[in-house]
Amino acid sequence: MADKYELSWKEIPMGFVFDKPMASRENLTGSWRSERPVWDHSKCIKCGVCYMYCPEGCIHETEEGYFQADYDYCKGCGICVQECWTQCIKFVPEES
Amino acid sequence: MGKRRGVESSIAMADAVAMCDVDAIAAYPITPQTHIVEHLSELVYNGELDAEFVPVESEHSAMSACCGMSAAGARTFTATSSQGLLLMNEIVHIVPAMRLPVVMAVANRAISAPISIWNDHGDLASVRDTGWLQIVAENGQECFDMMPLAFRVAEDKRVHLPIMVHFDGFIVSHMIEAIAYWEPEQVKEFLPPFEPQIRLDIHNPVAMGIVGVPEIYYETRLAQHQALLDSLKVIKEAFDDLERIVGRRYNVVETYNMDKAEIALVMMGSLSETAMSAVKAMKEKGIEVGIIRPRVWRPFPTEDFLAAVKNVKALGLVDRAFTFGGHSHPLATEIKSVLYGSPVQPKIAEFTLGIGGRDVKVEDIVGMYGSLVDMLEGKDVPRIQYVGVRE
Ligand code: SF4
Ligand code: SF4
């Protein structure tokens, strides 16, 4: 992905068409995060609301039916924290 | 050469598009363009043309559908005018940036407000910087001939950009003319099948229209600009081939009586037909004057234009649209920027006329030539004249 941004104007592919689909996966947006959502599964009712609301689509269901974010892509927007019915997701600063 | 038939220019253009074996059409009717797509839809629904006709609910959707169909590899056509062109504006910018060779006929019409269905070049001027190749046709025959030409140039793998063919609404679109249709073999010889250089294909997936972050957006814009400039030579090749196959000569800049004249008017579209009568009227007064008509507006044919004006001492720039609040109107702005710093430095007068369907008479054009004569004789001439306006 990175080399695409180093092309000279003469090397731009026609129409700036990109022939590697799914390449957005290479863009690890998790680096944007200043706070991370942390789940306390003891209060979780497995409703899936966090999963539905995550704009990044980075929350997945675990084998036990709980939910968890993929921190490679979680941008730390805090929407899951806000939407969780039972307030079982905490927002924790990245430094700690 | 094909037989001439008496036919309305719009119908002839639609027939030409059908002869080009277009695959996909998406359009919304708007005066004075309507007859083109109406006739195409008849041809499709009568089974005479094997194409997808998408009757959309707005021009925004029309150009969006054209964008998608062209990306899927279809030879794609649409037509519009004035407000329709304005409504599709967002996608009009996107199609050339995505390098999709859509062909669009634009029956030039004034822009609201006040509401006007009549002809001027307001819509033409509004799309100057969209990145489309733009050809401005003079009459019905030219409209017909420019259809195969537009598909050929747009789809050429060195170009792969969309083309607008502009022509004056009503004055040309609704005129019944004797138009020579091409023979099917001539179209076949002139126009190769469309071989898309980029396309949506589930077996070879690509991403089109992706984000251009600040690190790359600038480069994509310069690449697009250069592709448009480079298309001029492909247009010229196609004009040569068109002459070889159907026997009509087209140039990127057309001239009339310019071998003798040192006085000339620059104009686009059908106005030059009226101007030819004015040239004859001036000749009867013993004054040689000429016409310079850029047929190709984008990319602007700078070198060809400079060659056409090289002996001109007094040049009149004729606009049929406004650049509100500007120093000059659109055509004059372009021509003056081309002349700035060039070895050719004629005296210049600017004119605006034929706005919102206001009739232009031969005497109006004779009057403009008269101003240029005055200017050459050292008399004071206003920098811009609004010909025919009520004071
Ligand atoms: S913080 Fe935002 S991006 Fe991260 S998991 Fe929650 S909703 Fe998704
Ligand atoms: S929204 Fe809260 S309760 Fe519902 S599944 Fe997610 S973490 Fe569990």
Side-chain angles (χ1 to χ4, degrees):
Chain A
M1 186 81 169
D3 56 339
K4 180 171 71 176
Y5 298 139
E6 284 160 20
L7 296 176
S8 98
W9 70 269
K10 291 175 192 149
E11 299 163 333
I12 296 289
M14 181 181 277
F16 198 40
V17 163
F18 197 49
D19 61 3
K20 276 191 235 134
M22 312 282 285
S24 59
R25 281 181 183 249
E26 293 166 27
N27 201 3
L28 301 184
T29 48
S31 64
W32 300 9
R33 199 173 51 237
S34 59
E35 291 183 88
R36 68 166 58 200
V38 177
W39 272 255
D40 171 3
H41 287 152
S42 69
K43 287 196 275 177
C44 176
I45 57 170
K46 300 183 177 176
C47 65
V49 161
C50 54
Y51 164 82
M52 294 297 287
Y53 272 86
C54 174
E56 195 59 20
C58 73
I59 297 177
H60 57 271
E61 195 176 348
T62 64
E63 272 175 22
E64 304 84 60
Y66 293 114
F67 291 85
Q68 184 57 49
D70 181 339
Y71 294 117
D72 279 348
Y73 301 103
C74 165
K75 293 169 173 170
C77 68
I79 288 174
C80 54
V81 180
Q82 189 74 30
E83 296 298 333
C84 171
W85 299 100
T86 61
Q87 301 182 343
C88 68
I89 312 174
K90 269 207 213 45
F91 226 19
V92 182
E94 274 301 329
E95 286 76 25
S96 60
Chain B
M1 192 172 70
K3 264 213 294 289
R4 281 176 186 275
R5 53 183 98 166
V7 57
E8 186 186 302
S9 301
S10 292
I11 304 300
M13 279 175 102
D15 284 336
V17 170
M19 287 182 84
C20 293
D21 199 18
V22 64
D23 299 314
I25 304 147
Y28 189 82
I30 184 168
T31 301
Q33 163 281 129
T34 305
H35 292 179
I36 301 174
V37 291
E38 211 172 61
H39 187 54
L40 279 167
S41 86
E42 267 169 24
L43 293 175
V44 171
Y45 292 112
N46 289 345
E48 295 167 62
L49 171 62
D50 181 17
E52 197 67 44
F53 189 97
V54 189
V56 286
E57 81 291 357
S58 80
E59 284 85 356
H60 192 277
S61 302
M63 189 47 72
S64 300
C66 286
C67 182
M69 295 191 295
S70 183
R75 176 170 285 170
T76 305
F77 177 82
T78 187
T80 194
S81 287
S82 181
Q83 305 310 117
L85 187 59
L86 300 188
L87 185 52
M88 63 171 62
N89 187 268
E90 182 188 13
I91 327 297
V92 170
H93 285 260
I94 291 171
V95 167
M98 288 174 62
R99 303 287 296 273
L100 300 172
V102 174
V103 172
M104 173 157 66
V106 182
N108 297 129
R109 165 183 152 181
I111 285 173
S112 297
I115 296 170
S116 169
I117 59 163
W118 294 274
N119 163 247
D120 72 20
H121 289 172
D123 53 3
L124 190 163
S126 79
V127 289
R128 186 189 65 180
D129 299 340
T130 53
W132 288 57
L133 281 81
Q134 301 187 49
I135 292 175
V136 189
E138 182 185 76
N139 55 38
Q141 182 69 60
E142 192 175 329
C143 285
F144 186 100
D145 293 343
M146 288 308 115
M147 290 298 106
L149 181 113
F151 284 114
R152 170 164 152 166
V153 174
E155 294 168 2
D156 188 294
K157 66 178 188 301
R158 295 164 294 173
V159 179
H160 231 274
L161 282 165
I163 303 193
M164 284 183 211
V165 177
H166 296 276
F167 57 105
D168 288 312
F170 293 116
I171 295 171
V172 176
S173 66
H174 287 53
M175 180 65 76
I176 294 175
E177 277 184 40
I179 294 177
Y181 277 40
W182 296 22
E183 298 295 348
E185 315 82 70
Q186 293 175 314
V187 179
K188 218 170 172 175
E189 188 186 349
F190 180 76
L191 178 63
F194 179 26
E195 284 173 19
Q197 301 303 299
I198 46 176
R199 78 188 296 174
L200 296 173
D201 173 0
I202 50 169
H203 303 296
N204 295 293
V206 292
M208 289 184 173
I210 59 175
V211 173
V213 293
E215 288 80 358
I216 199 69
Y217 181 89
Y218 187 16
E219 282 73 16
T220 67
R221 294 314 251 192
L222 181 53
Q224 187 187 336
H225 176 58
Q226 191 62 48
L228 184 52
L229 291 176
D230 291 346
S231 68
L232 192 64
K233 64 173 183 296
V234 180
I235 301 175
K236 288 180 177 178
E237 280 173 24
F239 280 164
D240 290 344
D241 242 21
L242 193 154
E243 182 183 25
R244 181 177 61 76
I245 294 169
V246 294
R248 278 183 291 281
R249 179 69 213 168
Y250 291 106
N251 298 300
V252 293
V253 176
E254 215 55 67
T255 56
Y256 182 72
N257 202 41
M258 284 306 296
D259 39 348
K260 300 182 203 115
E262 295 187 332
I263 294 172
L265 288 172
V266 184
M267 59 186 69
M268 294 199 293
S270 64
L271 185 61
S272 53
E273 303 238 319
T274 315
M276 287 178 199
S277 304
V279 169
K280 285 179 195 131
M282 292 299 286
K283 214 186 263 281
E284 281 162 20
K285 295 185 191 182
I287 306 169
E288 293 293 349
V289 298
I291 305 166
I292 301 173
R293 177 168 75 91
R295 172 176 282 113
V296 177
W297 171 233
R298 283 292 179 273
F300 192 82
T302 300
E303 298 310 319
D304 303 84
F305 182 82
L306 288 175
V309 288
K310 69 177 187 302
N311 298 321
V312 174
K313 302 252 174 355
L315 190 65
L317 310 177
V318 184
D319 264 295
R320 303 200 52 222
F322 277 80
T323 294
F324 293 117
H327 180 70
S328 293
H329 298 303
L331 183 71
T333 301
E334 185 78 21
I335 302 301
K336 290 200 296 183
S337 89
V338 165
L339 289 173
Y340 187 84
S342 86
V344 199
Q345 289 299 328
K347 293 188 167 184
I348 286 174
E350 298 166 42
F351 304 95
T352 298
L353 83 179
I355 299 294
R358 182 65 58 88
D359 197 24
V360 177
K361 300 185 181 66
V362 175
E363 304 90 84
D364 296 327
I365 300 175
V366 168
M368 296 193 287
Y369 280 125
S371 274
L372 297 180
V373 172
D374 288 349
M375 194 166 67
L376 266 193
E377 289 172 354
K379 292 185 196 145
D380 270 351
V381 169
R383 186 175 72 82
I384 304 185
Q385 294 179 49
Y386 294 93
V387 178
V389 81
R390 266 189 308 284
E391 294 291 347

